[in-house]
Amino acid sequence: MKKAVTEAITNAIASLKEGWGLESIPYIDVEIPRNEDLGDAASTVAMGLTKTLKKPPKKIAEELLSEIVKQSGPFENIEIAGAGFINFRFKKEYLYENLQRLLSEGHPSLSAGLGQNKRIQVEFISANPTGPLHIGHGRGAAIGNALSNLLTAAGFEVEKEFYVNDAGLQVKLLGLSVYSRYQQALGNDVHFPENGYKGDYIASIAEEIIKDIGNKYLNNTFEQCGDFFISHAYKMMLSDIERDLKDFGVTFDKWQSEKELYEKGKVQGALTALQHKNFLYEKDGAKWFSSTNFGDDKDRVVVKQDGEYTYFASDIAYHKDKLDRGFDTIIDIWGADHHGYIPRIRSVLSAFGLSKEKFRVIIVQMVTLLRHGKPVQMSKRAGEFITLREVIDEVGSDTAKFIFLTRRADSQLEFDIEVAKEQSAENPVFYVQYAFARISSIFRQAEERRVRGQKDSSQYSVDSSQGTANSSHITYHALRSFRVQGTDLTALKEVEEIAIIKKLLQYPMMFEGAVFAFEPHRITYYLQDLARLFHSYYNKHRVLTDDSVITGARLSLCRAVQLALEEGLKILGVSAPEKM
RNA sequence: GCGCCUGUAGCUCAGACGGAUAGAGCAACUGCCUUCUAAGCAGUGGGUCAGGGGUUCGAUUCCCUUCAGGCGCGCCA
């Protein structure tokens, strides 16, 4: 849709260019008018050119229009309106042709190559393995996962990574906390560390350990058995995290250990590399990275007076490692509490020669958790928080993900767990899923008619060769492979049908925008719009009629909607159920 | 004090490098199930786009400023 308009205008400008004294073709804006009476697509190029051409926008629009009409474009009508908008309306044949193409090829512009197989890394969540994931991590997970799916759909080669901070004091503190609970559970009343993790999960881990090894380490000092508790607690914590994410529907390609960066000498190596570039210096007995050279507001310590590395040192190594692994683009998704960290990491990457546009940080703002409208205070240390696990169990993964993905990443989010539950029947996620389920149901009915050999079913049939007769999924595959053959799409004449076709043809535009902006939530809104159009249509018109031509055409339309819904939901990481 | 994010309908939020009469869901109210799933549809009401200034033919969008909320400003991780 966008392409056709852009082409028409580009050609027009190309032939007018010389007379206008233009050197190059300007950016051509194409948008969908708010009011559909105005047209199917519109451009504001004429208004944009007023300054350079020193002519009134309407005059420019007229000149463009007279050129465009010379071409044999797919337009039924083009008119100039308002302050200089050029509004386009497509011929119906164009809509039918493209619907047909969509049915046979899918959305060609999608995989066709925005990404061009470029490698892109998306790092997200990267929670410390010192406690269960909470709801904020859930938001990051939903966004990171959806963004990765989006980029994959756009033809990028995406690697999803979770960075595990398993080297620092925090895991030691985790071990110490578990150690203390272990001793206490066995009757040894040791002092619980001041900054220890107080959540119930610590005691649970201690219980597990007792089940495993009994009182083997009773009355041992932490110095004697600390390593055991640290590594054991950390491993259990990490496997919990992994399990929760799996149940949430999020998986990773790689779990990068911080500790491993140390063990492989990558931290030292990265610092040496910086040293060679003269970006390190000594001051006050410490070693500093001169990040101010790259726009940071102060230099940062990498090796402390006591000779220990800072957390930042391993992060330098980590990001250098990302570069060394040869990604074309690096995306970090962080919680809002880390945004102050952006300039220094950007500095690191600049120091190693990465150009700015190849590194992108997406800041995910905080989630304010409510229960019945009242804020729930969250503190990991104090052990008061709503875990992702609770959200999954109480609200459900699909609902939670959908809620997270109906907001931009950089706006704060209020998540009322009770509202999310209570509204479950009215929840937008079900609205979209319901449209998919309804269509699936129509195909089930169509298949029954065909089996019964009704006359009116001659125009459509199931191509069973496409179906995989695979155990319990037979129905599903049969539905997916339901081929509508030899149908005449021009039978789609209702306004609702035309509206749906147009919406479907807008998909590439919306998709490109989402990819370009790294904003998966645009998919969510599109799906709601499409579902709305479909529900409305469904209520007004019957798909399965006595007229085989109309039925065939409508089934085709349903198939196209179904494919779009399925594709969109897949990107969001939300299931597309056949029955509800 | 400085920096980043946010402020749009009663509530939760969209608004696509600045464009036409500002949108959705929920909540409220009125209708619609003998026919493919009523988790649905049709309709009604609801706005100082936080306030003020500026740039522009045109600003919810860009700039400045004030106010409000959130988050950061360690030789912590």
Side-chain angles (χ1 to χ4, degrees):
Chain A
M1 230 165 157
K2 184 180 180 179
K3 206 176 147 198
V5 174
T6 313
E7 266 178 29
I9 297 174
T10 306
N11 292 337
I13 294 180
S15 48
L16 288 167
K17 206 170 70 175
E18 275 184 39
W20 280 352
L22 271 184
E23 298 200 347
S24 59
I25 309 274
Y27 173 79
I28 295 165
D29 161 86
V30 179
E31 58 191 68
I32 307 299
R34 274 194 186 130
N35 185 341
E36 56 181 273
D37 295 338
L38 294 167
D40 300 331
S43 182
T44 60
V45 262
M47 289 122 103
L49 284 169
T50 42
K51 229 177 265 176
T52 39
L53 297 182
K54 300 199 175 69
K55 286 184 192 179
K58 281 197 172 181
K59 179 84 169 70
I60 299 171
E62 278 163 23
E63 290 178 27
L64 281 170
L65 181 55
S66 65
E67 277 300 319
I68 294 171
V69 293
K70 288 180 194 166
Q71 308 167 24
S72 57
F75 309 108
E76 179 184 282
N77 182 33
I78 309 170
E79 52 189 20
I80 296 165
F85 291 91
I86 307 175
N87 294 334
F88 299 81
R89 191 173 296 284
F90 289 100
K91 288 178 187 161
K92 287 229 173 75
E93 297 77 65
Y94 174 83
L95 302 179
Y96 297 137
E97 278 167 26
N98 280 277
L99 176 60
Q100 187 60 59
R101 185 177 311 159
L102 197 153
L103 283 162
S104 52
E105 299 172 14
H107 296 280
S109 66
L110 304 192
S111 48
L114 295 172
Q116 298 171 322
N117 295 319
K118 284 190 177 170
R119 293 182 65 217
I120 185 161
Q121 192 214 35
V122 184
E123 180 214 330
F124 57 107
I125 311 177
S126 297
N128 284 327
T130 54
L133 296 175
H134 56 66
I135 191 166
H137 296 126
R139 185 182 188 187
I143 291 176
N145 190 52
L147 179 62
S148 301
N149 292 340
L150 178 68
L151 295 172
T152 302
F156 287 94
E157 196 180 306
V158 179
E159 186 172 311
K160 296 183 283 181
E161 185 157 301
F162 189 119
Y163 182 53
V164 189
N165 297 123
D166 52 1
L169 281 173
Q170 290 190 87
V171 277
K172 191 173 174 188
L173 196 56
L174 172 73
L176 182 58
S177 302
V178 172
Y179 163 84
S180 303
R181 291 290 183 235
Y182 172 85
Q183 296 295 338
Q184 288 171 351
L186 294 174
N188 179 9
D189 191 21
V190 298
H191 177 68
F192 192 79
E194 189 125 341
N195 297 322
Y197 298 103
K198 298 193 175 73
D200 294 339
Y201 64 92
I202 297 293
S204 308
I205 295 174
E207 290 294 331
E208 288 286 320
I209 290 177
I210 290 170
K211 266 187 217 159
D212 279 359
I213 61 157
N215 63 358
K216 184 174 170 189
Y217 293 115
L218 179 61
N219 295 322
N220 280 30
T221 64
F222 188 64
E223 283 67 32
Q224 290 171 314
C225 61
D227 287 349
F228 169 82
F229 281 94
I230 291 169
S231 77
H232 216 74
Y234 148 77
K235 276 178 194 157
M236 289 175 80
M237 215 59 258
L238 201 61
S239 76
D240 275 6
I241 287 172
E242 205 165 348
R243 190 200 56 216
D244 289 350
L245 284 175
K246 197 179 160 214
D247 291 346
F248 193 55
V250 174
T251 56
F252 285 87
D253 300 308
K254 185 165 186 192
W255 297 71
Q256 175 61 51
S257 153
E258 179 188 8
K259 206 168 153 189
E260 183 194 295
L261 293 174
Y262 279 108
E263 288 167 357
K264 289 192 172 173
K266 290 189 175 175
V267 178
Q268 185 53 53
L271 294 186
T272 305
L274 282 179
Q275 187 102 52
H276 287 323
K277 292 172 184 281
N278 279 320
F279 294 133
L280 290 191
Y281 64 90
E282 300 218 8
K283 193 182 89 179
D284 303 333
K287 211 169 256 185
W288 300 67
F289 168 52
S290 54
S291 53
T292 45
N293 286 340
F294 306 97
D296 198 1
D297 55 359
K298 54 181 105 165
D299 289 346
R300 308 291 171 179
V301 171
V302 293
V303 181
K304 298 186 269 183
Q305 274 182 343
D306 62 8
E308 294 277 317
Y309 292 109
T310 60
Y311 174 83
F312 181 48
S314 54
D315 245 1
I316 291 174
Y318 179 40
H319 282 84
K320 179 175 187 300
D321 193 51
K322 290 188 185 191
L323 288 180
D324 294 344
R325 282 151 65 190
F327 294 105
D328 296 294
T329 305
I330 294 170
I331 298 178
D332 284 8
I333 300 180
W334 297 344
D337 51 341
H338 288 88
H339 77 262
Y341 217 69
I342 297 173
R344 77 189 73 168
I345 294 297
R346 200 172 273 292
S347 299
V348 170
L349 292 167
S350 297
F352 286 122
L354 186 78
S355 59
K356 276 187 177 173
E357 68 279 2
K358 295 192 166 180
F359 174 61
R360 175 73 179 262
V361 180
I362 294 172
I363 291 298
V364 178
Q365 289 296 326
M366 296 289 154
V367 178
T368 307
L369 192 79
L370 308 173
R371 233 182 230 289
H372 299 296
K374 288 181 190 158
V376 180
Q377 292 304 321
M378 308 253 278
S379 161
K380 199 188 223 180
R381 288 260 151 81
E384 296 164 4
F385 48 84
I386 302 291
T387 60
L388 178 60
R389 166 58 47 191
E390 287 169 85
V391 174
I392 293 171
D393 292 344
E394 285 195 48
V395 182
S397 293
D398 281 346
T399 303
K401 276 192 264 195
F402 204 86
I403 289 173
F404 289 136
L405 293 169
T406 42
R407 271 87 170 166
R408 286 189 347 272
D410 57 7
S411 71
Q412 282 152 240
L413 184 157
E414 291 199 358
F415 191 104
D416 192 316
I417 196 165
E418 296 300 329
V419 171
K421 261 189 336 196
E422 283 165 16
Q423 286 181 356
S424 64
E426 301 288 326
N427 210 296
V429 66
F430 298 113
Y431 186 83
V432 175
Q433 289 179 324
Y434 188 48
F436 183 87
R438 268 185 157 171
I439 294 171
S440 302
S441 175
I442 292 172
F443 280 108
R444 277 193 295 270
Q445 298 279 338
E447 166 66 0
E448 271 177 36
R449 285 190 175 205
R450 191 195 64 82
V451 170
R452 289 203 309 270
Q454 291 188 9
K455 264 194 288 182
D456 58 15
S457 65
S458 58
Q459 289 289 317
Y460 46 90
S461 63
V462 170
D463 175 1
S464 57
S465 65
Q466 289 285 312
T468 314
N470 175 332
S471 66
S472 62
H473 290 89
I474 287 174
T475 328
Y476 181 72
H477 287 291
L479 289 172
R480 284 184 53 79
S481 63
F482 193 105
R483 286 273 175 99
V484 185
Q485 296 174 337
T487 55
D488 177 11
L489 295 177
T490 61
L492 299 170
K493 291 190 183 338
E494 303 292 343
V495 284
E496 290 83 3
E497 293 168 337
I498 299 299
I500 290 174
I501 298 173
K502 286 177 183 170
K503 192 74 195 173
L504 288 169
L505 300 190
Q506 284 169 18
Y507 189 94
M509 228 179 131
M510 176 282 306
F511 180 86
E512 271 178 44
V515 171
F516 177 74
F518 297 132
E519 289 182 346
H521 76 270
R522 296 191 192 188
I523 304 282
T524 317
Y525 281 87
Y526 175 86
L527 292 180
Q528 292 186 68
D529 287 346
L530 182 60
R532 186 172 304 117
L533 290 175
F534 176 76
H535 284 310
S536 179
Y537 173 60
Y538 180 91
N539 268 268
K540 198 164 172 186
H541 305 285
R542 283 190 61 83
V543 173
L544 304 175
T545 65
D546 294 333
D547 182 321
S548 64
V549 176
I550 289 179
T551 302
R554 290 184 175 173
L555 281 171
S556 294
L557 183 64
C558 286
R559 167 50 39 88
V561 173
Q562 189 189 34
L563 289 174
L565 290 175
E566 188 177 39
E567 202 160 294
L569 286 171
K570 192 175 155 199
I571 288 171
L572 299 183
V574 172
S575 67
E578 255 186 63
K579 288 183 184 175
M580 288 176 75

